[in-house]
Amino acid sequence: MPIDAALYAKDFPSLQFLVPEAGILELIISNKGRLNSATEAMHRDLAQVWRSVDIDEAVRVVVVRGEGANFSSGGDFDMIDRMIDDEATLIRVWKEASDLVYNLINCSKPVVSAIRGSAVGAGLAIALLADVSVAAENAKILDGHTKLGVAAGDHAVIIWPLLCGLAKARYHLLTNKPLSGAEAERIGLVAVAVPDAQVLDTAFEIARTLSAGSATAMRFTKHALNNWLRLAGPSFDTSLALEFLGFRLADVREGLAAAREKRRAVFKPTTQE
């Protein structure tokens, strides 16, 4: 039975889907002119699509990439505005952010990410939670949360310490110093780094290997390995709650203004009486 890309496009209209080969679903994050930033609709779809993939017997492996030269620049500024100003939006996006992580962890099908250009925030969650991450050597990887003025939530606390160790996780998540794909491979944050022109070919080569293997062996191994992430679930839940608390504080307004104006944010010291 072939993969029905049209059905995925109907159910998740903010995303693009291709079926380049039998058993391989290609998921494309696309927001032209905005470095593939995640709109509210896209954030919702990225959270829910993994449930459909999980139960689709035609899908053996997923390759996820951004359209063009970038993976994703994180959350769309307009969405962040609404999260700051509207309580209902904040609560809904909080739930979606949790679902995005847990649904991807619990998806039984292997996922390969092809990371080119910028990979930031919510987009980076998909890139690093994939079972095999392939990055361009010159890719720019940045969590971005503390730079915005909120805690490093999303995926960061559940997987960065496991992939690259607590010292490197602390350093990059607190300072927001970006990593190249080559450096990310060196510290273990991504699986493979290759020249930019080879990223997609490498990702599909890995996808073919996974697709040709025993489906049950792949699924069972993934499930067992991801128990390491499930053990970190309480830490992730805490980090996500603290991130969304930050959207109710003053710092995020300055952080968002600074991002829009392409300047350094100036955060006021916290006073305690």
Side-chain angles (χ1 to χ4, degrees):
M1 180 175 63
I3 300 171
D4 188 349
L7 181 60
Y8 279 95
K10 176 178 177 294
D11 290 343
F12 308 101
S14 72
L15 303 172
Q16 297 179 11
F17 301 92
L18 297 173
V19 183
E21 301 177 26
I24 299 177
L25 177 66
E26 186 176 7
L27 188 161
I28 303 164
I29 301 170
S30 176
N31 188 356
K32 291 183 179 179
R34 296 196 174 185
L35 300 177
N36 300 329
S37 60
T39 63
E40 285 188 54
M42 191 185 299
H43 194 268
R44 179 184 62 248
D45 288 348
L46 284 171
Q48 300 303 324
V49 67
W50 308 108
R51 291 181 174 177
S52 294
V53 169
D54 180 55
I55 62 174
D56 188 346
E57 295 182 0
V59 176
R60 295 180 66 89
V61 61
V62 177
V63 174
V64 57
R65 65 174 176 88
E67 184 179 31
N70 291 280
F71 192 84
S72 174
S73 61
D76 182 82
F77 288 163
D78 292 340
M79 178 177 74
I80 296 172
D81 267 332
R82 284 187 287 274
M83 290 166 62
I84 293 171
D85 294 333
D86 180 59
E87 183 176 285
T89 300
L90 183 73
I91 292 171
R92 189 191 74 249
V93 176
W94 181 0
K95 175 63 163 59
E96 290 171 359
S98 178
D99 287 345
L100 188 154
V101 169
Y102 284 124
N103 288 346
L104 183 48
I105 288 171
N106 292 325
C107 177
S108 62
K109 311 300 174 63
V111 178
V112 180
S113 61
I115 308 166
R116 300 179 62 219
S118 296
V120 182
L124 184 59
I126 301 291
L128 296 185
L129 286 168
D131 300 292
V132 181
S133 50
V134 180
E137 292 171 343
N138 64 350
K140 181 181 178 181
I141 294 172
L142 176 69
D143 180 72
H145 282 83
T146 58
K147 186 177 181 180
L148 183 64
V150 296
D154 280 352
H155 69 297
V157 169
I158 202 169
I159 198 165
W160 279 62
L162 186 61
L163 293 177
C164 64
L166 188 57
K168 286 292 188 182
R170 283 168 170 165
Y171 176 65
H172 287 287
L173 296 176
L174 291 172
T175 67
N176 261 277
K177 182 177 180 181
L179 298 91
S180 67
E183 175 66 5
E185 182 194 43
R186 188 187 72 80
I187 67 174
L189 193 64
V190 301
V192 180
V194 296
D196 183 79
Q198 298 176 20
V199 170
L200 291 180
D201 287 344
T202 303
F204 276 101
E205 180 181 350
I206 293 168
R208 291 185 196 101
T209 298
L210 297 174
S211 180
S214 162
T216 53
M218 298 297 165
R219 294 171 191 177
F220 295 168
T221 301
K222 173 174 179 172
H223 181 84
L225 285 170
N226 280 358
N227 277 334
W228 288 102
L229 301 181
R230 295 182 184 96
L231 288 171
S235 295
F236 163 67
D237 294 339
T238 300
S239 72
L240 197 63
L242 293 173
E243 175 192 351
F244 279 74
L245 171 62
F247 286 105
R248 281 302 195 227
L249 305 179
D251 280 352
V252 71
R253 295 182 183 274
E254 166 60 13
L256 183 58
R260 280 186 160 128
E261 297 164 13
K262 302 185 185 304
R263 60 172 174 83
R264 181 184 293 274
V266 180
F267 297 119
K268 294 180 180 180
T270 301
T271 58
Q272 294 181 348
E273 297 181 0

